[in-house]
Amino acid sequence: MSRILLFNKPYGVICQFGRDGLHPTLADYIPVPAVYPAGRLDTDSEGLLLLTDDGKLQHRITDPKHKLPKTYWVQVEGIPEETHLQQLRRGVKLKDGLTLPAEAQWLDEPTGLWPRDPPVRFRKTIPTSWIALTIREGRNRQVRRMTAAVGYPTLRLIRYCIGDWTLDGLTSGACAVREA
């Protein structure tokens, strides 16, 4: 039976086991031997990372042809209007082409959200808000580029779910092993 490990990656952790001397790595958090990441999260992103000991499952999770939905909680600078969410829903023109349509909706600040270290910068004169954004592709820094393209820079990015797997019940830095 295959194992899948759900890991709530903290801000600043790099998605590799090898040490770079600058950042904490997966080796500092993952106590399960012989699992490998199925995808990546940028160092400055947080949230759900899946690891597995099954190469076929790893491929199915990461292969773009399967278009596994990934939902992100995105704290943005400003308060998007419905027209901006519609742009995200239609697809956004980026330097590397038009994105696939996304699901986008306003989101109250997620309940039980852990503090980020270091904290997100706040400015007294510029409000922030949250959106839930679901995409089915995985371009480099795609969510950040999408929100910036519609005028709302990302301040904090948390991947909440991949397919049916979610962060529910996982605190920052925690992991849970499941059978796949």
Side-chain angles (χ1 to χ4, degrees):
M1 181 59 87
S2 299
R3 291 182 301 177
I4 192 153
L5 187 137
L6 286 62
F7 175 56
N8 187 349
K9 184 189 93 58
Y11 180 90
V13 174
I14 56 175
C15 287
Q16 65 186 37
F17 285 94
R19 303 200 187 279
D20 72 350
L22 301 173
H23 302 91
T25 71
L26 298 177
D28 296 309
Y29 292 90
I30 307 296
V32 179
V35 292
Y36 304 94
R40 300 179 64 82
L41 270 177
D42 294 328
T43 306
D44 54 355
S45 298
E46 307 166 70
L48 186 62
L49 181 67
L50 300 178
L51 299 97
T52 183
D53 58 359
D54 180 336
K56 288 181 182 178
L57 178 60
Q58 182 183 30
H59 178 75
R60 186 174 62 81
I61 291 168
T62 59
D63 191 333
K65 76 177 180 184
H66 295 292
K67 294 184 175 47
L68 205 57
K70 296 171 216 68
T71 300
Y72 295 83
W73 294 337
V74 189
Q75 184 181 27
V76 295
E77 190 172 87
I79 302 172
E81 297 177 13
E82 179 62 26
T83 55
H84 300 112
L85 295 180
Q86 285 292 354
Q87 285 179 278
L88 294 168
R89 291 176 190 134
R90 284 192 302 267
V92 177
K93 178 83 168 129
L94 302 176
K95 288 181 182 177
D96 56 351
L98 187 67
T99 66
L100 293 175
E103 297 169 31
Q105 61 188 17
W106 287 287
L107 178 69
D108 290 331
E109 182 172 322
T111 307
L113 191 61
W114 56 90
R116 196 187 87 173
D117 183 25
V120 171
R121 66 173 163 78
F122 287 101
R123 294 192 251 173
K124 291 180 183 178
T125 59
I126 301 175
T128 67
S129 57
W130 288 86
I131 59 174
L133 189 64
T134 301
I135 62 173
R136 287 176 168 74
E137 55 187 337
R139 300 181 194 188
N140 186 42
R141 300 180 71 81
Q142 180 176 344
V143 171
R144 292 176 188 281
R145 293 189 299 141
M146 288 175 73
T147 63
V150 298
Y152 298 91
T154 294
L155 299 173
R156 188 173 183 188
L157 182 61
I158 300 167
R159 183 161 53 200
Y160 169 69
C161 76
I162 301 170
D164 293 331
W165 295 290
T166 72
L167 278 181
D168 292 342
L170 285 177
T171 59
S172 182
C175 59
V177 178
R178 305 276 191 268
E179 289 186 359

